[in-house]
Amino acid sequence: MRQPRPVPAPFRPRRQRGSSLIEILISLAVLGGGLLGLVGLQAKASQVAVSAEDSSRAALLANEVVSLMWTTGSVNLPAAAIEAWAGRVADATGPGLSNGSGTVAVDGNLATVTISWRPPHVSTGIDQRYQTQVLVP
């Protein structure tokens, strides 16, 4: 008589040791990289918001002197009025811009208003500029 063949035991996978630790370390590295990316994105968004605010402020300051020209009916404003306006442009603690300067150049009935400034986060030598022209008949 033949002996019955033994029934094989069900397959049992061997226990892996340390694999979950490696998975956790990799997920932490991915999470850290994502957080660093978000911090960089937030910093860039802040710079863009400041730049947009400065450009809007420059347009408002130029509109201020142009409105004065339209009100008086002439591009030739008194020197005291232009100096006071240029002082407001340079006043970074008030309505002005950081490192701001404003000029008005008159050629006949055409006035060119130029406002230059340098944002605090930009290196030296790179200035932003807003320029507009007004023709008062």
Side-chain angles (χ1 to χ4, degrees), residues 28-113:
L28 284 176
V30 170
L31 180 65
L35 290 175
L36 284 175
L38 285 175
V39 168
L41 184 64
Q42 182 67 29
K44 185 65 176 174
S46 176
Q47 288 178 354
V48 169
V50 167
S51 177
E53 182 182 354
D54 286 348
S55 296
S56 176
R57 192 175 297 167
L60 289 171
L61 288 165
N63 187 40
E64 181 181 327
V65 75
V66 168
S67 295
L68 187 58
M69 290 176 188
W70 279 100
T71 302
T72 61
S74 172
V75 293
N76 296 314
L77 295 175
I82 292 177
E83 287 176 15
W85 171 79
R88 284 191 299 279
V89 171
D91 181 19
T93 60
L97 298 160
S98 62
N99 303 309
S101 66
T103 60
V104 178
V106 177
D107 183 22
N109 287 344
L110 180 69
T112 303
V113 178

Side-chain angles (χ1 to χ4, degrees), residues 121-137:
H121 65 274
V122 175
S123 63
T124 306
I126 302 173
D127 288 346
Q128 302 290 319
R129 188 170 78 168
Y130 181 85
Q131 187 172 23
T132 188
Q133 293 182 323
V134 61
L135 179 64
V136 179

